[in-house]
Amino acid sequence: MRAWSAALHETPGPARLWGLTTPCAQTMIPFSVLDLAPIPQGSDAAQSFRNTLDLAQHAERWGYRRYWLAEHHGMPGIASAATAVLIGHVAGGTSTIRVGAGGIMLPNHAPLMIAEQFGTLASLYPGRIDLGLGRAPGSDPTTARALRRNLMSDPEEFPQDVVELMDYFAGSPRQPVRAVPGAGLDVPIWILGSSLFGAQLAAALGLPYAFASHFAPAQMMHAIELYRAQFRPSPQLDRPYVMLGFNVFAADTDEEARFLASSAQQSFVNLRSGRPTQLPPPVEGYLESLDEPRRALLQSILSCSAIGSPQTVREAMAAFIERTGADELMITSNIYDHAKRLRSYEIAAAVRDELTGR
């Protein structure tokens, strides 16, 4: 990674934290929202977008720091395929919360196009736009081909594309083309990952790191340790900053929360079985109805989760923060009923305040 990181680190300038704070300087761990713009069974994308904006407006009032949307393609239950467009919709309907991508799957796009898209967003909503980057296709192989993506691309292309994208925002003379809008704009870039590769890249480039522990927790602790140990300060960030995905299915009782969580559990099983669907309605006793392999799969995938009443959620979140030393949590609550989903995020915000004595 030295070859492509050297060019970035030779650029002088003060470190910018974009509002990031580390535990020694903060009174609370920020909570943020990851929204997949779910399409519940029997609904459609238009209603999903209305729900997304409504959730973002509530999240802003409840003190969430960021509202991120994720790029997926060819998924019947996820409406955030045109991620930059939806980010603009959310930013236009809110006023203070940061809005961004968690993330843009950079191999699907030319870096110049992403610089222009997010330069446009940053021009429209200055100081509020984040750009998280991932190297997965966000789709199945057939859909990836339809996106005109080269499935045999060199793994080294992703780091090079990240550096190229950062050069566009910096207006670097290394780039013969200028991103308009984009050049000279302060668009915070994050590296997303679920493996050690992303941790190494974020550390080498001196960027904040978001780990997908909400669905791929297996290498979480190793990735965090590697990122913190190898982090190199950069013009973008002067110390490591880790945000971790965390599922919350919160309700007024443990029983109701377990019931609500069954929608996401069904969705994961369907996806891993090769038949992705719209988000199903919850069912009683779903987890208990599964055979042992599927139950073990869910317990592994959703191990970074809090399912229960406010007290149960508080205990689970406190233990997770203590174990990981996370600088920020990205909360996702994939719940079928929109009102119940709002209630889950409301409970999570209250738990955050209780944990920090607000």
Side-chain angles (χ1 to χ4, degrees):
M1 295 187 179
R2 184 175 302 171
W4 42 258
S5 65
L8 177 67
H9 284 277
E10 69 189 21
T11 305
R16 301 188 303 276
L17 292 181
W18 303 306
L20 307 183
T21 53
T22 53
C24 62
Q26 66 187 21
T27 58
M28 60 177 284
I29 290 180
F31 282 14
S32 295
V33 173
L34 176 62
D35 179 13
L36 298 182
I39 304 176
Q41 186 175 312
S43 188
D44 57 21
Q47 184 59 52
S48 172
F49 297 147
R50 288 190 287 270
N51 292 344
T52 282
L53 183 56
D54 185 50
L55 174 57
Q57 291 168 342
H58 279 84
E60 185 172 70
R61 290 197 293 272
W62 292 329
Y64 284 90
R65 175 164 292 183
R66 312 174 202 280
Y67 196 98
W68 280 10
L69 295 136
E71 177 186 351
H72 291 80
H73 300 281
M75 303 287 286
I78 298 177
S80 52
T83 316
V85 176
L86 194 51
I87 288 170
H89 174 62
V90 171
T94 54
S95 58
T96 59
I97 195 169
R98 298 191 67 91
V99 188
I104 291 295
M105 302 298 106
L106 193 54
N108 293 339
H109 311 277
L112 176 60
M113 292 184 65
I114 298 304
E116 291 170 342
Q117 289 175 15
F118 280 78
T120 299
L121 289 167
S123 298
L124 290 169
Y125 310 104
R128 294 181 57 208
I129 301 300
D130 294 329
L131 175 52
L133 301 173
R135 67 175 182 138
S139 62
D140 60 86
T142 301
T143 306
R145 290 189 189 94
L147 290 166
R148 307 296 194 267
R149 178 174 180 267
N150 178 11
L151 300 182
M152 302 301 292
S153 60
D154 184 342
E156 280 294 298
E157 289 183 5
F158 176 66
Q160 292 166 0
D161 284 350
V162 173
V163 172
E164 180 183 343
L165 177 56
M166 296 178 74
D167 279 347
Y168 286 128
F169 285 126
S172 170
R174 286 192 293 267
Q175 294 300 336
V177 177
R178 185 175 178 85
V180 182
L185 296 180
D186 192 8
V187 179
I189 289 181
W190 295 64
I191 298 298
L192 279 57
S194 58
S195 69
L196 303 185
F197 181 92
Q200 291 175 303
L201 177 60
L205 296 182
L207 297 176
Y209 180 49
F211 190 85
S213 37
H214 59 293
F215 74 91
Q219 298 189 71
M220 177 183 69
M221 293 307 298
H222 191 181
I224 293 171
E225 293 165 3
L226 185 66
Y227 168 68
R228 288 173 173 157
Q230 297 186 2
F231 182 85
R232 298 175 59 197
S234 74
Q236 284 67 45
L237 192 65
D238 62 5
R239 52 190 178 269
Y241 192 94
V242 175
M243 177 160 60
L244 300 177
F246 193 76
N247 299 288
V248 174
F249 304 96
D252 293 325
T253 67
D254 289 344
E255 293 74 20
E256 183 185 8
R258 286 193 292 267
F259 173 67
L260 296 176
S262 67
S263 292
Q265 291 165 349
Q266 293 175 74
S267 184
F268 272 117
V269 169
N270 292 341
L271 179 62
R272 292 301 178 93
S273 301
R275 44 183 181 86
T277 63
Q278 292 183 328
L279 185 65
V283 296
E284 292 285 359
Y286 176 72
L287 195 60
E288 294 75 16
S289 71
L290 296 176
D291 58 26
E292 184 56 35
R294 287 188 174 88
R295 195 156 53 242
L297 172 69
L298 284 178
Q299 289 171 347
S300 173
I301 290 174
L302 299 177
S303 62
C304 295
S305 302
I307 304 175
S309 65
Q311 176 63 31
T312 301
V313 169
R314 181 165 55 250
E315 292 171 358
M317 297 185 85
F320 183 76
I321 293 168
E322 176 68 23
R323 177 163 67 97
T324 62
D327 297 302
E328 187 169 341
L329 292 189
M330 178 63 75
I331 306 298
T332 182
S333 295
N334 215 16
I335 292 173
Y336 178 83
D337 181 89
H338 181 61
K340 300 293 186 182
R341 190 170 183 232
L342 290 177
R343 177 60 178 148
S344 182
Y345 277 106
E346 182 181 26
I347 290 172
V351 166
R352 174 203 61 203
D353 294 345
E354 291 176 17
L355 289 174
T356 55
R358 285 184 66 184

PDB file of all heavy atoms in Angstrom, residues 269-297:
ATOM      1  N   VAL A 269     -31.950 -14.462   6.173  1.00  0.00           N
ATOM      2  CA  VAL A 269     -32.043 -15.863   5.743  1.00  0.00           C
ATOM      3  C   VAL A 269     -32.409 -15.943   4.268  1.00  0.00           C
ATOM      4  O   VAL A 269     -31.833 -16.732   3.496  1.00  0.00           O
ATOM      5  CB  VAL A 269     -33.052 -16.630   6.612  1.00  0.00           C
ATOM      6  CG1 VAL A 269     -33.366 -17.999   6.003  1.00  0.00           C
ATOM      7  CG2 VAL A 269     -32.508 -16.807   8.032  1.00  0.00           C
ATOM      8  N   ASN A 270     -33.361 -15.128   3.852  1.00  0.00           N
ATOM      9  CA  ASN A 270     -33.746 -15.116   2.442  1.00  0.00           C
ATOM     10  C   ASN A 270     -32.580 -14.717   1.540  1.00  0.00           C
ATOM     11  O   ASN A 270     -32.355 -15.321   0.477  1.00  0.00           O
ATOM     12  CB  ASN A 270     -34.921 -14.162   2.224  1.00  0.00           C
ATOM     13  CG  ASN A 270     -36.200 -14.643   2.877  1.00  0.00           C
ATOM     14  OD1 ASN A 270     -36.347 -15.819   3.194  1.00  0.00           O
ATOM     15  ND2 ASN A 270     -37.136 -13.735   3.102  1.00  0.00           N
ATOM     16  N   LEU A 271     -31.828 -13.693   1.961  1.00  0.00           N
ATOM     17  CA  LEU A 271     -30.701 -13.220   1.169  1.00  0.00           C
ATOM     18  C   LEU A 271     -29.628 -14.298   1.056  1.00  0.00           C
ATOM     19  O   LEU A 271     -29.127 -14.577  -0.046  1.00  0.00           O
ATOM     20  CB  LEU A 271     -30.115 -11.957   1.801  1.00  0.00           C
ATOM     21  CG  LEU A 271     -28.899 -11.348   1.096  1.00  0.00           C
ATOM     22  CD1 LEU A 271     -29.257 -10.907  -0.319  1.00  0.00           C
ATOM     23  CD2 LEU A 271     -28.366 -10.166   1.914  1.00  0.00           C
ATOM     24  N   ARG A 272     -29.291 -14.920   2.173  1.00  0.00           N
ATOM     25  CA  ARG A 272     -28.247 -15.939   2.162  1.00  0.00           C
ATOM     26  C   ARG A 272     -28.708 -17.206   1.433  1.00  0.00           C
ATOM     27  O   ARG A 272     -27.883 -18.013   1.022  1.00  0.00           O
ATOM     28  CB  ARG A 272     -27.820 -16.268   3.591  1.00  0.00           C
ATOM     29  CG  ARG A 272     -27.086 -15.124   4.296  1.00  0.00           C
ATOM     30  CD  ARG A 272     -25.837 -14.714   3.535  1.00  0.00           C
ATOM     31  NE  ARG A 272     -25.136 -13.605   4.159  1.00  0.00           N
ATOM     32  CZ  ARG A 272     -24.149 -13.731   5.034  1.00  0.00           C
ATOM     33  NH1 ARG A 272     -23.748 -14.940   5.408  1.00  0.00           N
ATOM     34  NH2 ARG A 272     -23.563 -12.664   5.541  1.00  0.00           N
ATOM     35  N   SER A 273     -30.002 -17.357   1.264  1.00  0.00           N
ATOM     36  CA  SER A 273     -30.538 -18.498   0.519  1.00  0.00           C
ATOM     37  C   SER A 273     -30.652 -18.207  -0.969  1.00  0.00           C
ATOM     38  O   SER A 273     -31.156 -19.036  -1.732  1.00  0.00           O
ATOM     39  CB  SER A 273     -31.914 -18.892   1.077  1.00  0.00           C
ATOM     40  OG  SER A 273     -31.830 -19.226   2.450  1.00  0.00           O
ATOM     41  N   GLY A 274     -30.217 -17.008  -1.381  1.00  0.00           N
ATOM     42  CA  GLY A 274     -30.250 -16.650  -2.784  1.00  0.00           C
ATOM     43  C   GLY A 274     -31.590 -16.180  -3.298  1.00  0.00           C
ATOM     44  O   GLY A 274     -31.824 -16.160  -4.512  1.00  0.00           O
ATOM     45  N   ARG A 275     -32.480 -15.775  -2.383  1.00  0.00           N
ATOM     46  CA  ARG A 275     -33.797 -15.294  -2.816  1.00  0.00           C
ATOM     47  C   ARG A 275     -34.172 -14.037  -2.024  1.00  0.00           C
ATOM     48  O   ARG A 275     -35.059 -14.052  -1.177  1.00  0.00           O
ATOM     49  CB  ARG A 275     -34.863 -16.378  -2.624  1.00  0.00           C
ATOM     50  CG  ARG A 275     -34.791 -17.103  -1.306  1.00  0.00           C
ATOM     51  CD  ARG A 275     -35.818 -18.228  -1.188  1.00  0.00           C
ATOM     52  NE  ARG A 275     -35.738 -18.891   0.111  1.00  0.00           N
ATOM     53  CZ  ARG A 275     -36.368 -18.488   1.196  1.00  0.00           C
ATOM     54  NH1 ARG A 275     -37.140 -17.420   1.151  1.00  0.00           N
ATOM     55  NH2 ARG A 275     -36.253 -19.155   2.339  1.00  0.00           N
ATOM     56  N   PRO A 276     -33.467 -12.929  -2.290  1.00  0.00           N
ATOM     57  CA  PRO A 276     -33.773 -11.684  -1.575  1.00  0.00           C
ATOM     58  C   PRO A 276     -35.206 -11.239  -1.839  1.00  0.00           C
ATOM     59  O   PRO A 276     -35.733 -11.405  -2.943  1.00  0.00           O
ATOM     60  CB  PRO A 276     -32.762 -10.697  -2.149  1.00  0.00           C
ATOM     61  CG  PRO A 276     -32.359 -11.271  -3.462  1.00  0.00           C
ATOM     62  CD  PRO A 276     -32.418 -12.755  -3.296  1.00  0.00           C
ATOM     63  N   THR A 277     -35.822 -10.677  -0.820  1.00  0.00           N
ATOM     64  CA  THR A 277     -37.226 -10.277  -0.897  1.00  0.00           C
ATOM     65  C   THR A 277     -37.396  -8.881  -0.320  1.00  0.00           C
ATOM     66  O   THR A 277     -36.463  -8.302   0.250  1.00  0.00           O
ATOM     67  CB  THR A 277     -38.110 -11.247  -0.092  1.00  0.00           C
ATOM     68  OG1 THR A 277     -37.720 -11.172   1.305  1.00  0.00           O
ATOM     69  CG2 THR A 277     -37.958 -12.666  -0.580  1.00  0.00           C
ATOM     70  N   GLN A 278     -38.591  -8.344  -0.482  1.00  0.00           N
ATOM     71  CA  GLN A 278     -38.952  -7.162   0.290  1.00  0.00           C
ATOM     72  C   GLN A 278     -38.939  -7.522   1.775  1.00  0.00           C
ATOM     73  O   GLN A 278     -39.013  -8.693   2.152  1.00  0.00           O
ATOM     74  CB  GLN A 278     -40.335  -6.662  -0.129  1.00  0.00           C
ATOM     75  CG  GLN A 278     -40.378  -6.107  -1.549  1.00  0.00           C
ATOM     76  CD  GLN A 278     -41.744  -5.557  -1.901  1.00  0.00           C
ATOM     77  OE1 GLN A 278     -42.768  -6.036  -1.431  1.00  0.00           O
ATOM     78  NE2 GLN A 278     -41.771  -4.537  -2.760  1.00  0.00           N
ATOM     79  N   LEU A 279     -38.829  -6.502   2.626  1.00  0.00           N
ATOM     80  CA  LEU A 279     -38.747  -6.741   4.062  1.00  0.00           C
ATOM     81  C   LEU A 279     -40.044  -7.383   4.550  1.00  0.00           C
ATOM     82  O   LEU A 279     -41.116  -6.779   4.453  1.00  0.00           O
ATOM     83  CB  LEU A 279     -38.501  -5.428   4.803  1.00  0.00           C
ATOM     84  CG  LEU A 279     -38.267  -5.539   6.304  1.00  0.00           C
ATOM     85  CD1 LEU A 279     -36.979  -6.307   6.600  1.00  0.00           C
ATOM     86  CD2 LEU A 279     -38.211  -4.145   6.936  1.00  0.00           C
ATOM     87  N   PRO A 280     -39.983  -8.627   5.077  1.00  0.00           N
ATOM     88  CA  PRO A 280     -41.214  -9.322   5.448  1.00  0.00           C
ATOM     89  C   PRO A 280     -41.795  -8.799   6.762  1.00  0.00           C
ATOM     90  O   PRO A 280     -41.073  -8.256   7.605  1.00  0.00           O
ATOM     91  CB  PRO A 280     -40.770 -10.784   5.621  1.00  0.00           C
ATOM     92  CG  PRO A 280     -39.315 -10.836   5.280  1.00  0.00           C
ATOM     93  CD  PRO A 280     -38.793  -9.444   5.286  1.00  0.00           C
ATOM     94  N   PRO A 281     -43.092  -8.985   6.955  1.00  0.00           N
ATOM     95  CA  PRO A 281     -43.678  -8.646   8.253  1.00  0.00           C
ATOM     96  C   PRO A 281     -43.157  -9.593   9.329  1.00  0.00           C
ATOM     97  O   PRO A 281     -42.750 -10.722   9.028  1.00  0.00           O
ATOM     98  CB  PRO A 281     -45.185  -8.824   8.021  1.00  0.00           C
ATOM     99  CG  PRO A 281     -45.283  -9.754   6.860  1.00  0.00           C
ATOM    100  CD  PRO A 281     -44.086  -9.507   5.999  1.00  0.00           C
ATOM    101  N   PRO A 282     -43.147  -9.159  10.564  1.00  0.00           N
ATOM    102  CA  PRO A 282     -42.641 -10.026  11.637  1.00  0.00           C
ATOM    103  C   PRO A 282     -43.579 -11.199  11.894  1.00  0.00           C
ATOM    104  O   PRO A 282     -44.782 -11.129  11.617  1.00  0.00           O
ATOM    105  CB  PRO A 282     -42.593  -9.079  12.847  1.00  0.00           C
ATOM    106  CG  PRO A 282     -43.600  -8.018  12.551  1.00  0.00           C
ATOM    107  CD  PRO A 282     -43.593  -7.844  11.059  1.00  0.00           C
ATOM    108  N   VAL A 283     -42.997 -12.271  12.409  1.00  0.00           N
ATOM    109  CA  VAL A 283     -43.784 -13.454  12.768  1.00  0.00           C
ATOM    110  C   VAL A 283     -43.357 -13.931  14.151  1.00  0.00           C
ATOM    111  O   VAL A 283     -42.193 -13.806  14.541  1.00  0.00           O
ATOM    112  CB  VAL A 283     -43.614 -14.591  11.738  1.00  0.00           C
ATOM    113  CG1 VAL A 283     -44.154 -14.185  10.392  1.00  0.00           C
ATOM    114  CG2 VAL A 283     -42.151 -15.006  11.614  1.00  0.00           C
ATOM    115  N   GLU A 284     -44.289 -14.464  14.883  1.00  0.00           N
ATOM    116  CA  GLU A 284     -44.005 -14.996  16.210  1.00  0.00           C
ATOM    117  C   GLU A 284     -43.153 -16.267  16.108  1.00  0.00           C
ATOM    118  O   GLU A 284     -43.383 -17.120  15.250  1.00  0.00           O
ATOM    119  CB  GLU A 284     -45.313 -15.320  16.940  1.00  0.00           C
ATOM    120  CG  GLU A 284     -46.152 -14.107  17.302  1.00  0.00           C
ATOM    121  CD  GLU A 284     -45.600 -13.329  18.491  1.00  0.00           C
ATOM    122  OE1 GLU A 284     -44.561 -13.750  19.052  1.00  0.00           O
ATOM    123  OE2 GLU A 284     -46.209 -12.298  18.841  1.00  0.00           O
ATOM    124  N   GLY A 285     -42.168 -16.362  16.997  1.00  0.00           N
ATOM    125  CA  GLY A 285     -41.387 -17.580  17.115  1.00  0.00           C
ATOM    126  C   GLY A 285     -40.549 -17.929  15.905  1.00  0.00           C
ATOM    127  O   GLY A 285     -40.213 -19.110  15.702  1.00  0.00           O
ATOM    128  N   TYR A 286     -40.152 -16.921  15.111  1.00  0.00           N
ATOM    129  CA  TYR A 286     -39.420 -17.233  13.880  1.00  0.00           C
ATOM    130  C   TYR A 286     -38.080 -17.898  14.166  1.00  0.00           C
ATOM    131  O   TYR A 286     -37.746 -18.923  13.557  1.00  0.00           O
ATOM    132  CB  TYR A 286     -39.197 -15.966  13.063  1.00  0.00           C
ATOM    133  CG  TYR A 286     -38.353 -16.209  11.829  1.00  0.00           C
ATOM    134  CD1 TYR A 286     -38.863 -16.905  10.732  1.00  0.00           C
ATOM    135  CD2 TYR A 286     -37.027 -15.771  11.760  1.00  0.00           C
ATOM    136  CE1 TYR A 286     -38.088 -17.158   9.608  1.00  0.00           C
ATOM    137  CE2 TYR A 286     -36.249 -16.017  10.639  1.00  0.00           C
ATOM    138  CZ  TYR A 286     -36.786 -16.709   9.569  1.00  0.00           C
ATOM    139  OH  TYR A 286     -36.006 -16.961   8.461  1.00  0.00           O
ATOM    140  N   LEU A 287     -37.314 -17.326  15.076  1.00  0.00           N
ATOM    141  CA  LEU A 287     -35.983 -17.873  15.357  1.00  0.00           C
ATOM    142  C   LEU A 287     -36.073 -19.314  15.828  1.00  0.00           C
ATOM    143  O   LEU A 287     -35.276 -20.174  15.410  1.00  0.00           O
ATOM    144  CB  LEU A 287     -35.281 -17.005  16.412  1.00  0.00           C
ATOM    145  CG  LEU A 287     -33.777 -17.200  16.573  1.00  0.00           C
ATOM    146  CD1 LEU A 287     -33.044 -16.888  15.277  1.00  0.00           C
ATOM    147  CD2 LEU A 287     -33.251 -16.316  17.702  1.00  0.00           C
ATOM    148  N   GLU A 288     -37.039 -19.595  16.675  1.00  0.00           N
ATOM    149  CA  GLU A 288     -37.201 -20.951  17.212  1.00  0.00           C
ATOM    150  C   GLU A 288     -37.642 -21.945  16.136  1.00  0.00           C
ATOM    151  O   GLU A 288     -37.425 -23.149  16.275  1.00  0.00           O
ATOM    152  CB  GLU A 288     -38.213 -20.947  18.361  1.00  0.00           C
ATOM    153  CG  GLU A 288     -37.764 -20.177  19.597  1.00  0.00           C
ATOM    154  CD  GLU A 288     -37.821 -18.667  19.434  1.00  0.00           C
ATOM    155  OE1 GLU A 288     -38.501 -18.186  18.477  1.00  0.00           O
ATOM    156  OE2 GLU A 288     -37.186 -17.948  20.239  1.00  0.00           O
ATOM    157  N   SER A 289     -38.247 -21.432  15.059  1.00  0.00           N
ATOM    158  CA  SER A 289     -38.740 -22.325  14.006  1.00  0.00           C
ATOM    159  C   SER A 289     -37.636 -22.776  13.048  1.00  0.00           C
ATOM    160  O   SER A 289     -37.846 -23.691  12.249  1.00  0.00           O
ATOM    161  CB  SER A 289     -39.841 -21.629  13.198  1.00  0.00           C
ATOM    162  OG  SER A 289     -39.296 -20.595  12.377  1.00  0.00           O
ATOM    163  N   LEU A 290     -36.475 -22.157  13.123  1.00  0.00           N
ATOM    164  CA  LEU A 290     -35.398 -22.460  12.189  1.00  0.00           C
ATOM    165  C   LEU A 290     -34.627 -23.704  12.598  1.00  0.00           C
ATOM    166  O   LEU A 290     -34.555 -24.045  13.791  1.00  0.00           O
ATOM    167  CB  LEU A 290     -34.428 -21.272  12.117  1.00  0.00           C
ATOM    168  CG  LEU A 290     -34.979 -19.961  11.565  1.00  0.00           C
ATOM    169  CD1 LEU A 290     -33.926 -18.875  11.661  1.00  0.00           C
ATOM    170  CD2 LEU A 290     -35.451 -20.123  10.122  1.00  0.00           C
ATOM    171  N   ASP A 291     -34.016 -24.351  11.614  1.00  0.00           N
ATOM    172  CA  ASP A 291     -33.124 -25.454  11.939  1.00  0.00           C
ATOM    173  C   ASP A 291     -31.828 -24.893  12.515  1.00  0.00           C
ATOM    174  O   ASP A 291     -31.564 -23.686  12.465  1.00  0.00           O
ATOM    175  CB  ASP A 291     -32.859 -26.334  10.718  1.00  0.00           C
ATOM    176  CG  ASP A 291     -32.260 -25.571   9.538  1.00  0.00           C
ATOM    177  OD1 ASP A 291     -31.605 -24.533   9.768  1.00  0.00           O
ATOM    178  OD2 ASP A 291     -32.467 -25.996   8.391  1.00  0.00           O
ATOM    179  N   GLU A 292     -31.010 -25.740  13.070  1.00  0.00           N
ATOM    180  CA  GLU A 292     -29.816 -25.292  13.775  1.00  0.00           C
ATOM    181  C   GLU A 292     -28.842 -24.519  12.885  1.00  0.00           C
ATOM    182  O   GLU A 292     -28.309 -23.479  13.309  1.00  0.00           O
ATOM    183  CB  GLU A 292     -29.101 -26.494  14.416  1.00  0.00           C
ATOM    184  CG  GLU A 292     -27.883 -26.111  15.255  1.00  0.00           C
ATOM    185  CD  GLU A 292     -28.216 -25.104  16.348  1.00  0.00           C
ATOM    186  OE1 GLU A 292     -29.321 -25.157  16.909  1.00  0.00           O
ATOM    187  OE2 GLU A 292     -27.345 -24.241  16.623  1.00  0.00           O
ATOM    188  N   PRO A 293     -28.560 -24.954  11.633  1.00  0.00           N
ATOM    189  CA  PRO A 293     -27.633 -24.180  10.797  1.00  0.00           C
ATOM    190  C   PRO A 293     -28.100 -22.746  10.546  1.00  0.00           C
ATOM    191  O   PRO A 293     -27.302 -21.808  10.620  1.00  0.00           O
ATOM    192  CB  PRO A 293     -27.580 -24.990   9.500  1.00  0.00           C
ATOM    193  CG  PRO A 293     -27.890 -26.380   9.908  1.00  0.00           C
ATOM    194  CD  PRO A 293     -28.922 -26.241  10.991  1.00  0.00           C
ATOM    195  N   ARG A 294     -29.388 -22.559  10.250  1.00  0.00           N
ATOM    196  CA  ARG A 294     -29.883 -21.205  10.001  1.00  0.00           C
ATOM    197  C   ARG A 294     -29.891 -20.371  11.281  1.00  0.00           C
ATOM    198  O   ARG A 294     -29.593 -19.170  11.256  1.00  0.00           O
ATOM    199  CB  ARG A 294     -31.287 -21.258   9.388  1.00  0.00           C
ATOM    200  CG  ARG A 294     -31.306 -21.711   7.931  1.00  0.00           C
ATOM    201  CD  ARG A 294     -32.698 -21.552   7.339  1.00  0.00           C
ATOM    202  NE  ARG A 294     -32.735 -21.849   5.920  1.00  0.00           N
ATOM    203  CZ  ARG A 294     -32.928 -23.060   5.413  1.00  0.00           C
ATOM    204  NH1 ARG A 294     -33.104 -24.099   6.228  1.00  0.00           N
ATOM    205  NH2 ARG A 294     -32.933 -23.255   4.105  1.00  0.00           N
ATOM    206  N   ARG A 295     -30.221 -20.991  12.389  1.00  0.00           N
ATOM    207  CA  ARG A 295     -30.201 -20.264  13.658  1.00  0.00           C
ATOM    208  C   ARG A 295     -28.774 -19.826  13.997  1.00  0.00           C
ATOM    209  O   ARG A 295     -28.544 -18.700  14.448  1.00  0.00           O
ATOM    210  CB  ARG A 295     -30.798 -21.140  14.761  1.00  0.00           C
ATOM    211  CG  ARG A 295     -31.146 -20.364  16.024  1.00  0.00           C
ATOM    212  CD  ARG A 295     -32.217 -21.058  16.841  1.00  0.00           C
ATOM    213  NE  ARG A 295     -31.889 -22.441  17.147  1.00  0.00           N
ATOM    214  CZ  ARG A 295     -32.594 -23.485  16.756  1.00  0.00           C
ATOM    215  NH1 ARG A 295     -33.688 -23.306  16.031  1.00  0.00           N
ATOM    216  NH2 ARG A 295     -32.251 -24.718  17.090  1.00  0.00           N
ATOM    217  N   ALA A 296     -27.811 -20.724  13.759  1.00  0.00           N
ATOM    218  CA  ALA A 296     -26.409 -20.382  14.022  1.00  0.00           C
ATOM    219  C   ALA A 296     -25.942 -19.262  13.092  1.00  0.00           C
ATOM    220  O   ALA A 296     -25.176 -18.370  13.495  1.00  0.00           O
ATOM    221  CB  ALA A 296     -25.533 -21.620  13.853  1.00  0.00           C
ATOM    222  N   LEU A 297     -26.392 -19.299  11.839  1.00  0.00           N
ATOM    223  CA  LEU A 297     -26.049 -18.244  10.885  1.00  0.00           C
ATOM    224  C   LEU A 297     -26.516 -16.889  11.389  1.00  0.00           C
ATOM    225  O   LEU A 297     -25.752 -15.906  11.392  1.00  0.00           O
ATOM    226  CB  LEU A 297     -26.683 -18.551   9.532  1.00  0.00           C
ATOM    227  CG  LEU A 297     -26.584 -17.444   8.473  1.00  0.00           C
ATOM    228  CD1 LEU A 297     -25.151 -17.269   8.008  1.00  0.00           C
ATOM    229  CD2 LEU A 297     -27.494 -17.752   7.278  1.00  0.00           C
TER     230      LEU A 297
END
